[in-house]
Amino acid sequence: MDPKRELTSVDLAALVGELGAYEGAKVDKAYLYGDDLVRLKMRDFDRGRMELILEVGEVKRAHTVAPERVPDAPGRPPQFAMMLRNRLSGADFAGVEQYEFDRILEFVFERDDGTTRIIVELFGQGNVAVTDGEYEVIDCLETVRLKSRTVVPGSRYEFPDTRTNPLTVSREAFDHEMDDSDTDVVRTLATQLNFGGLYAEELCVRAGVEKGMDIDDADEDVYERLYETIERLALDIRNGNFDPRLYLERDDEEDDDGEGDSDDANASVVDVTPFPLEEHDDLDGEAYDSFLSALDDYFFRLELAEEEEPDPTDQRPDFESEIAKQERIIEQQQGAIEGFEQEAEALREQAELLYAEYGLVDDILSTIQGAREQDRSWDDIRERFEEGAEQGISAAEAVVDVDGSEGTVTVDIDGERISLVAGQGVEQNADRLYTEAKRVEEKKEGALAAIENTREDLEDAKRRRDEWEADESGPAADTEPDEDEEETQRDWLSEPSIPIRENEPWFDRFRWFHTSDDYLVIGGRNADQNEELVKKYLEPGDTVLHTQAHGGPVTVLKATDPSEASSSDIELPDSSIEEAAQFAVSYSSVWKDGRYAGDVYAVDSDQVSKTPESGEYLEKGGFAIRGDRTYYRDTPVGAAVGIQCEPYTRVIGGPPSAIEERAVTTIELEPGRYAQADAAKRLYRQFRERFEDETFVRKIASPDRIQHFMPPGGSRVADD
């Protein structure tokens, strides 16, 4: 039996009550680990320190954790964590609610300067969205652009479509959902009533109903027993009548003496529930005083068990399941794209129909507007149209419905039903439809970007499968490396634990890289840093580079370190100058504009001045060049991000030729459609897959840190 890695809707319904006991706790600090785990450190006046974990990756959970079990804080807080700290530091925890019966929790925090909501999506790909009191999204771990909903910074948070809540469903609605099914009883409870597989089976057992009974064979007595069982479950949840259980499955392997081992060491955790389940009678259960403590212990033991699992390189990963999953996602995304196209086309056709029948539509709208000016009620207007239809008046016959609560009128034109805003004219209604069609087209663009990501994931899974099979069937190496070669060829990617050796050099706040010849190159991130580089760090012997195009960093190829004596006698290698030129063009507007090459010029440091010519003015970050310039025409853009393991563990980035020699693994980029933050998350996930020690990647290569080394504007992973 596979262990549970995601909380169910029933789990969340039970969890909310226990978390509510912490209302009034104050937030101290927030942390983000990788791109899927948020930790909130809080102080409860009665219980002391409280640690809340929200994880939305392969494991999806939300619960308190014993302080001694929290992971070590990351070395550098990413932007998302800093945003949380700015909004939540000193805030009061005001409560938590489950959205309907969905796997969504909404945490509310209050501070004198406003309300912050953290909405945790524990389904699908998982997400954490932070909104203000009016549900405007401030930031989110994953952007969502689907036909049904959008979750992006700056927009209003959209919950998924409402589903039936079985814990509050009326008997009439329950009967309707059951009657609407065409399958068996257990599947109906799992899908129509949204209980999921486990609790659907548990309800059948508790009610004494055969799981596989066809819904057509279920009579009134069956419905009554099931509904009463659901009511008892709902009552236990509302009243907090919990008796939590952590369930274990024992290893069937036998000892050398032939007898099964009953030691707990051979038992693995497989589930945790707020109540004992008859469906788990064949498992060993451990009782807990609270569901929160049971959840904490379960996921702690699950993590320990997975750390003790055999090296995954010794067993074949299930590539086929991963490939099939990505293919299913692509099929769904293609369906969504087709739906967007059809919806947008339908909206445009409706707008065109309004103009085609301009006189008819204008007659209808004018009639309503005139009646409203005379204070006639909506019911009266509806009756007048009905009377007119009986008399054969074409305008009245076209009216299908008048909705006073919404101020709309629905008309039928050539068999197409169109909803109009009664207070607007024909042109305004048509413009509204065209605007809506444009908005749907934008959703389609988002879906196209998403399907491109999924196709890349699919190709990556196929590539890893082919590489695995090639490694399995290929010949062994003919020679063994000597001791010196073993040291230089240390396989960092396969290391189970990589020690962290951090170092923050003085130039880390700038853009920077070391050339293949080990010279330092620094670039400004903004006008202030450009100004600072020229005024403070430009020394004799340095070379200054800049793009011919406007909007690029001041790039300085250092001849010496600032701690060394400056020297104008050093001749900088051509290879370093060329790499610095590529750096200058890649981190400029050339990349942002989606171009693949640009012109760069280079000058000596003594040709650069902050003093303008007479009658001229220099903007902040600008500088004057005097003398001849050396041009590097059509310099190709090129950037790579990599992870370095020695002498320090850190993310590095810059021209591929310089980065590949210093990093244990790199990913090359090119200009593309994916926003910088989204591309950084993709790179983070790829790096995490490459390293055996995923915690190492979490600590030193968060998406925020990766983004620090990426060019401005859109990017994509370069083709092999």
Side-chain angles (χ1 to χ4, degrees), residues 62 126 137 155 261 271 315 372 427 503 520 571 580 624 641 643:
V137 178
S155 69
D261 190 345
D271 203 355
Q315 44 189 308
R372 291 300 293 164
E427 294 89 347
N503 174 51
L520 174 65
E571 184 173 349
V641 178
I643 295 181

Side-chain angles (χ1 to χ4, degrees), residues 442-459:
E442 290 172 352
K443 285 189 175 183
K444 173 190 167 185
E445 291 301 315
L448 287 170
I451 201 172
E452 186 66 24
N453 284 345
T454 310
R455 285 181 175 138
E456 290 182 7
D457 291 339
L458 174 62
E459 292 305 312

Side-chain angles (χ1 to χ4, degrees), residues 37 64 73 93 156 188 290 299 410 418 461 485 545 549 642 688 693:
L37 193 151
T64 55
F93 173 44
R156 182 176 175 81
T188 302
S290 72
F299 285 106
T410 302
I418 307 172
E485 288 176 335
L545 301 98
R688 198 169 65 175
D693 185 3

